Amino acid sequence: MLVYLKIYRYNPEAGRNVPSFDTYNIEAEPTDRVLDLLEEIKGHIDGTVSFRRSCAHGVCGSDAMRINGRNMLACKALVKDVGTEITIEPILGLPVLKDMIVDMEPFFNSYKSLMPFLINEDVPADGKERLQSPEQRERFDDTTKCILCAACTTSCPVFWSDDQYVGPATIVNAHRFIFDSRDQAANKRLEILADHGGAFRCRTAFNCTEACPREIHVTQAIAEVKNAITSGGVEH
Amino acid sequence: MASQVKPNFETTAWRFMRYSGILLIPLAWFHVYLQDVIVGVHAIDIDYVAVRLADAGWVTYNFLLLLFAFAHGMYGLRQVMFDLVHKPSTRRILSILMLIFWLVVSAIGATALAMGARPELVQ
C-alpha cells in the first residue's frame, strides 16, 4: 500500500530555523512499523531526516515521537494501526534540537532529583542479599516496567505548561522505590513529591496512561503516591 | 520501616480540595433539587429567602456551600495560575493574594448570611 508521510523538520544548523513539514510517499506493508518507514526514508530518500532509535524493539525507549498526534514508540506503531496518512512530530514539552530529536536533559534531571536507586544503609541479615516476598515484589511490579522513553511526561498537559512539574515518569520511577520493601528513603522521596512541583500538580488527565508503550498504570501510580503522602508515608 | 511525611501546605490544600469536592456533591445537588424542583424558581422571593436565612441550620448549610465551592474553585484557579506563572516569587505573591481574596469574600458572604434578608428594605 502507498503511505503518505508528513514529517516535522527543524534543523537550525542547516538553515531550517523555522519548523516545517516535508512529505514523502512510500510503499509499505500493513505490518510495517513507523520506524521501518523512517528508516526507509533516511536510508533511501532523504538522509537528513533525524530521529533517535537504538534497539528498535520497544525496550530502549529512544524512539518516542508523536505519531498522528499521539505519543508512541515508532518501533511499536504499525501502519495498519495508524493508517496510511501519517504525521510524525517530536514529543512535546522538551526543546527540539533537530527534527524528532529533543533535548532529554530536563527530563533526566527531573528523574534524577527523586533518587532513582535503592537506598538502604543497613547490612543485609545474611550479609549478602535483602530478601523480599512475592507479595512485596508485586507491590511495585508495574512501575518497574518503565523504559524512560518520556512518552508519558511529554503527553502531560501540566508538563507542557509548567517545567517545574516533575512529570509522570519521575513519579513512576519514584513509586518503584517508595513501595519497595528494601528501600529506606521513601520518606525523602515523598517529601520531594509533596512540594509544589510534585504529585499534586497532576490533574488526572490520563494522557500518560494512554501514552505509555509499556502499559503502566501511570495515573494510578501517581494516585498511590498522593495517598502515601497524605497518609503520612508508607510502611514496609 | 515506617516513614513519616509531615503535611505541608500543598498536601493540606490538596486534601481540602478533595474532601470539599466530595462534600460539594450532596450540598450542591440538594440545593439545586430543593430550589428548582421542590420549591421552584418562580416561588422564590425575598420573603422565602428571609424565612430561610432566619433558620440557623440553613445559614450553616449555605455557609458550607459557599466555603467549599469557593475554596474548591480557588484551588483550581491556583493550579491554572501555576501553569501561566513560573517565577517562584510571583507565584508566592499571587498565592497569598488569592488566599486573602478567598478569606475576604468568604467573610463577606458569611456576614451576609448571618445578617439574613430584610424584606422591608426591598418592598
Side-chain angles (χ1 to χ4, degrees), chain B residues 21-116:
Chain B
I22 293 168
L23 289 168
L24 270 173
I25 296 170
L27 283 172
W29 280 109
F30 183 69
H31 177 80
V32 169
Y33 182 67
L34 179 70
Q35 312 294 26
D36 292 347
V37 179
I38 296 178
V39 178
V41 286
H42 300 296
I44 295 174
D45 55 16
I46 188 71
D47 293 325
Y48 171 79
V49 176
V51 170
R52 285 243 304 169
L53 293 187
D55 186 310
W58 282 118
V59 170
T60 308
Y61 183 99
N62 286 333
F63 178 68
L64 290 176
L65 192 57
L66 166 73
L67 186 75
F68 292 147
F70 198 31
H72 198 81
M74 288 302 284
Y75 182 89
L77 190 63
R78 184 166 171 267
Q79 294 292 318
V80 173
M81 183 270 286
F82 277 7
D83 287 350
L84 304 172
V85 179
H86 298 150
K87 196 175 166 188
S89 58
T90 314
R91 279 182 169 188
R92 190 170 175 76
I93 291 166
L94 287 173
S95 292
I96 292 168
L97 288 174
M98 281 179 173
L99 185 64
I100 293 169
F101 179 68
W102 175 63
L103 285 170
V104 169
V105 175
S106 296
I108 292 170
T111 308
L113 287 168
M115 297 289 283

Side-chain angles (χ1 to χ4, degrees), chain A residues 3 5 17 26 39 46 53 62 89 106 124 143 147 203 229:
Chain A
V3 176
L5 278 145
N17 298 318
I26 58 173
E39 297 277 24
D46 184 351
R53 63 102 177 82
S62 56
E89 298 161 278
T143 46
I147 54 173
R203 295 179 199 157
I229 295 168

